[in-house]
Amino acid sequence: MPSDEEIRRVRRLINRIKADVDELDNDERAQIEQAVTTIRRARNSVVNLGIPRLRQPLPDIRPDRSA
């Protein structure tokens, strides 16, 4: 668990970032949104953060038996 001081520091950092973003014009915000989207796509293609699409088939423990 992070300490209370670590939590306060992260919250201060988040507030500073939000304040800085609020000062940007629309073009700068759009550039940041585009960069964030690009990074998220790249990260998701490298590290699968979602649920697996297909499950691996269970091994057939009795191959001599017919279905």
Side-chain angles (χ1 to χ4, degrees), residues 1-7 10:
M1 284 294 290
S3 69
D4 289 342
E5 179 58 28
E6 289 171 320
I7 293 170
V10 170

Side-chain angles (χ1 to χ4, degrees), residues 5-64:
E5 179 58 28
E6 289 171 320
I7 293 170
R8 280 192 293 276
R9 286 181 184 175
V10 170
R11 286 183 178 159
R12 280 195 305 260
L13 177 61
I14 291 169
N15 288 333
R16 282 177 36 203
I17 292 169
K18 284 182 179 180
D20 289 345
V21 169
D22 287 344
E23 293 176 9
L24 299 175
D25 62 35
N26 289 337
D27 289 337
E28 292 170 324
R29 286 184 194 182
Q31 289 176 357
I32 289 175
E33 286 296 324
Q34 183 180 6
V36 167
T37 300
T38 301
I39 290 170
R40 285 181 177 161
R41 279 188 196 140
R43 183 181 60 205
N44 285 336
S45 69
V46 173
V47 178
N48 186 5
L49 299 176
I51 297 171
R53 289 182 177 88
L54 297 173
R55 295 182 85 175
Q56 297 239 344
L58 295 173
D60 189 0
I61 57 172
R62 295 179 137 180
D64 55 328

